[in-house]
Amino acid sequence: DILFISKYVELFRDRIDFRHQLVSVGSYLYSEIEQYDLDTLKKKWKPEADNFIWDFVKFLNKNSIAAANELEIETKKIIEQHQLGMGNILPVLRILLTGTMKGPSIFESILLLGKDKSIERISKLNYLLNNWSNAASSWSLVFLFTGGGGGVLAFGAGDAAAGLAALSSALGIGA
């Protein structure tokens, strides 16, 4: 898609030194996320963020936004409604969508990913995080992916570190 490629190049032009870097610098925007910044996610994730995330998903689902600044304004309104700090919720949202704290504006990234892909990514990882963090600290969450993108949840005994390791393993990444 020429429009996607043009926008992608525009977003990453100032973040690279050589053209060949375009292939990898933002690969999370055109392929599956290979690695999540779990350290930052662990620091920033709070169970109360779940209500914001679901309201944000509902907002994305109901609205057609064409400009990043419009999306940013509406996102800030939802953050304020939930009385959350932007410094805590935006990093979580960025990691849910891209796996990393690096990259162009999260709002530009959402527009480039598109509504459906953004909702899919947010929903999948948010569900895992919410269930993992709501489990007692003596339990760990294991999520087994199936070929169709669905999964099976299973809880097992362990500690919080084991829970993070299980989440990392379930996502197919190293902690």
Side-chain angles (χ1 to χ4, degrees), residues 37-52:
D37 181 351
L38 293 179
D39 290 335
T40 302
L41 198 54
K42 190 170 114 176
K43 289 177 197 169
K44 298 289 186 178
W45 176 255
K46 305 282 184 260
E48 53 271 14
D50 187 54
N51 290 331
F52 161 79

Side-chain angles (χ1 to χ4, degrees), residues 4 21 42 51 57 73 93 102 109 133 140-141 161 167-168:
F4 177 90
Q21 293 173 310
K42 190 170 114 176
N51 290 331
V57 166
I73 290 167
L93 188 58
K102 299 174 186 169
S109 296
S133 65
S140 62
L141 171 70
L167 178 59
S168 300

Side-chain angles (χ1 to χ4, degrees), residues 16 54-55 57 67 89 98 125 149 153 165 168:
I16 62 166
W54 290 122
D55 282 351
V57 166
I89 200 66
T98 66
L125 193 56
L153 290 174
S168 300

Side-chain angles (χ1 to χ4, degrees), residues 4-5 7-12 15 22-34 94 97-100 102-114 117-118 121:
F4 177 90
I5 293 169
K7 186 64 175 172
Y8 178 86
V9 169
E10 180 185 325
L11 290 176
F12 287 97
R15 298 173 185 277
L22 274 173
V23 176
S24 61
V25 71
S27 62
Y28 51 80
L29 290 174
Y30 61 82
S31 62
E32 292 303 313
I33 297 170
E34 295 179 13
R94 176 182 286 284
L97 284 160
T98 66
T100 183
K102 299 174 186 169
S105 155
I106 189 61
F107 307 108
E108 292 286 355
S109 296
I110 290 169
L111 292 178
L112 190 60
L113 282 168
K117 189 65 166 177
S118 295
R121 287 183 176 190

Side-chain angles (χ1 to χ4, degrees), residues 123-135:
S123 300
K124 183 192 319 185
L125 193 56
N126 184 60
Y127 181 79
L128 284 170
L129 287 169
N130 191 49
N131 283 288
W132 175 67
S133 65
N134 283 340

